[in-house]
Amino acid sequence: MLSYTSHCLQALLGVASLPYRQYQAYSSPQAPLQVPQVPQAGPPITTLVSSCAGFSYPEVACIDRYGSLLQGEFERKVRNVLGDADTYISTNAPSEPTFSDLQNADFLVWNQSAAKAILGPNPHVDFMFSIEDCSHEAPVYVPTTNELYFSRLQQGFLPQLVINLNNDPPTLEEKLAQPPIYAATGARFRDGLLYLATIGGNESLAGYTFRPGLYTLDPITGKTQALLNNYYGYYFNAVDDLDIDHEGQIWFTDNDYGRPCQVNTYAPQINAATYRFNPKTGLVTMVDDTLLEPNGLTFSPDNKTVYLTDTGAGSAIIDPNIYPAPHIAYNSTRKGRTIYAYDVAPSRKALLNKRPVYLSMEYAPDGIKTSREGYLVSATGKGVVVLTDEGEPLVRVQTNFTVINIAFAGAERDELWAIGKGGVARIRWGLKGSYA
């Protein structure tokens, strides 16, 4: 075989009459064989940002191929400021002339085929109220009164903020529960009651003692009741968010944020974790302790999956000897900007098969809900992101303030209210939340 190959080469080069040994020593006067260079194939250069069929531009802007290829030089400068971090649209991309159009968009569309049903025929983002420039949390819709409750995380502030949706335009007022609820951060409505997770802790405030835990509030009478305020004698650190499964069990997160938010006078006594509470028996059990700062929690519509957000990129000082506790320090390179999914065990007593599904493109994922269609909807930085149940981005809603938590509202649950630092917005679109 080797000899046959050598003779073929000789014939090609015009030296077939030379013996093999002579060919090995032969120096050809001809120029080396030139092989033409074929340019490497690559994705075609397209317009990065364009209009979406059926929607006005730039209010609704479609982004080509998830923005995965930016032409020329570009840079997204990191801004590690709690509540005011860098955003996707803060990226400087001078070679992409359409990128600046995103500054004027209300909706960024990553998946055009899914966006039509998500946005509906006439999507709108309305800035409804300017509120204190501090964190606001625990939005929850009360269908029996057509009101939206939420809270303010401010030292010593005890009323609940209530948006009356019976008025046009809606109005905002304060209501003081009896006894008061201090610093609620998570909420659900079930069987005529608000179920609230709180991070407020104080030995003596307005004549009351407060501990982080789980509470109910009757929106008709204004009366509250404590359900859970300790783990075998330990104070909880900051009971942040909750959801209620089909069996009535309350699953909730407990992180370290109460003291750095200046609403809890006690330093953490136990590690951050996620729990399951049975209000019928009083049993509380830990189901996960792997997240740095477990925060938002929601069930899938079929109750077979739990989604947890980890906001550990915002770290808290837990040393009780450091007083007052410094505010939360945010760093985008720190682990903890992720949504995780877990399977619920058949016994409904444990979580299995933890897997990450989404690394936030902005800030850290905080409050989270699932839509009736099974999409994940999460507050992330200056807006709200809609994801598939496997974490693929579909649509992003942009706001002019940092969104901390969200709630579906309205008779059909087709409005999403976004609550956060300094503002309240209403999103009207095609997506719908659960009636539960």
Side-chain angles (χ1 to χ4, degrees):
M1 181 66 72
L2 180 61
S3 176
Y4 172 79
T5 304
S6 299
H7 282 292
C8 287
L9 287 171
Q10 292 174 22
L12 285 171
L13 296 174
V15 291
S17 60
L18 294 176
Y20 174 71
R21 292 182 184 275
Q22 290 178 309
Y23 170 71
Q24 288 286 77
Y26 180 75
S27 178
S28 173
Q30 301 180 38
L33 185 65
Q34 298 295 315
V35 179
Q37 297 296 313
V38 179
Q40 295 294 315
I45 297 176
T46 59
T47 301
L48 180 69
V49 181
S50 61
S51 61
C52 302
F55 298 103
S56 60
Y57 182 83
E59 290 81 4
V60 180
C62 278
I63 301 173
D64 183 59
R65 295 174 54 84
Y66 297 89
S68 57
L69 183 64
L70 294 175
Q71 304 295 329
E73 295 295 327
F74 61 90
E75 182 182 13
R76 176 173 170 176
K77 291 186 177 180
V78 173
R79 178 178 167 82
N80 284 325
V81 178
L82 184 71
D84 191 21
D86 54 280
T87 63
Y88 174 63
I89 65 172
S90 69
T91 304
N92 180 32
S95 297
E96 293 286 1
T98 58
F99 193 85
S100 60
D101 290 350
L102 298 181
Q103 299 284 344
N104 299 313
D106 292 327
F107 299 91
L108 309 185
V109 173
W110 307 98
N111 185 316
Q112 194 164 177
S113 61
K116 187 173 182 179
I118 293 171
L119 297 181
N122 191 27
H124 277 282
V125 180
D126 300 309
F127 184 82
M128 301 300 294
F129 300 102
S130 179
I131 51 180
E132 291 288 325
D133 191 27
C134 61
S135 295
H136 293 79
E137 272 270 20
V140 58
Y141 177 63
V142 181
T144 52
T145 62
N146 196 30
E147 295 174 315
L148 186 87
Y149 279 64
F150 67 101
S151 69
R152 175 177 297 161
L153 303 189
Q154 189 176 61
Q155 189 175 46
F157 187 83
L158 295 179
Q160 301 302 298
L161 297 169
V162 181
I163 299 173
N164 190 334
L165 301 178
N166 298 293
N167 298 328
D168 188 15
T171 54
L172 179 62
E173 58 186 290
E174 295 180 2
K175 291 186 179 182
L176 186 65
Q178 293 297 327
I181 295 291
Y182 186 29
T185 46
R188 290 292 191 277
F189 180 84
R190 182 68 61 89
D191 299 328
L193 296 175
L194 299 181
Y195 286 79
L196 301 167
T198 72
I199 68 173
N202 195 297
E203 291 70 34
S204 180
L205 176 61
Y208 298 95
T209 297
F210 296 96
R211 298 296 177 211
L214 298 174
Y215 299 82
T216 61
L217 189 160
D218 186 327
I220 304 299
T221 66
K223 300 298 183 182
T224 64
Q225 181 178 348
L227 299 179
L228 175 69
N229 65 6
N230 77 97
Y231 183 78
Y232 297 97
Y234 289 119
Y235 299 139
F236 286 107
N237 308 322
V239 179
D240 198 300
D241 202 4
L242 66 95
D243 203 355
I244 305 171
D245 69 16
H246 289 167
E247 296 181 354
Q249 298 184 106
I250 303 173
W251 302 62
F252 66 92
T253 57
D254 183 44
N255 56 43
D256 300 315
Y257 290 154
R259 203 166 69 117
C261 286
Q262 313 301 315
V263 293
N264 191 346
T265 55
Y266 266 81
Q269 295 185 328
I270 50 179
N271 61 288
T274 301
Y275 297 86
R276 175 181 58 86
F277 173 63
N278 187 334
K280 294 179 182 178
T281 66
L283 176 65
V284 58
T285 56
M286 186 181 67
V287 293
D288 183 78
D289 67 349
T290 64
L291 305 187
L292 292 176
E293 297 290 354
N295 200 316
L297 186 155
T298 192
F299 278 97
S300 61
D302 62 7
N303 260 221
K304 293 181 179 179
T305 307
V306 163
Y307 297 95
L308 292 175
T309 69
D310 186 356
T311 54
S315 59
I317 300 297
I318 63 174
D319 187 345
N321 297 313
I322 299 177
Y323 184 85
H327 289 284
I328 299 166
Y330 172 75
N331 191 311
S332 64
T333 63
R334 178 179 164 88
K335 184 180 179 182
R337 300 174 56 219
T338 307
I339 298 174
Y340 292 90
Y342 301 74
D343 296 331
V344 181
S347 66
R348 302 207 63 80
K349 293 183 178 181
L351 297 180
L352 309 171
N353 304 323
K354 173 189 175 184
R355 64 258 185 207
V357 296
Y358 179 67
L359 174 65
S360 184
M361 68 178 73
E362 290 191 16
Y363 202 41
D366 202 320
I368 187 171
K369 301 293 189 294
T370 48
S371 74
R372 207 177 303 173
E373 300 84 355
Y375 294 132
L376 301 178
V377 187
S378 181
T380 56
K382 291 189 175 178
V384 176
V385 67
V386 182
L387 311 164
T388 67
D389 58 359
E390 294 181 333
E392 297 176 359
L394 302 173
V395 170
R396 179 169 178 80
V397 185
Q398 298 198 125
T399 58
N400 60 353
F401 63 94
T402 296
V403 180
I404 298 175
N405 214 330
I406 51 177
F408 285 98
E412 296 299 320
R413 311 298 192 272
D414 55 355
E415 294 182 355
L416 187 78
W417 286 74
I419 312 294
K421 190 172 182 286
V424 176
R426 178 179 61 187
I427 302 158
R428 289 181 285 187
W429 54 0
L431 215 56
K432 295 181 179 180
S434 170
Y435 286 115

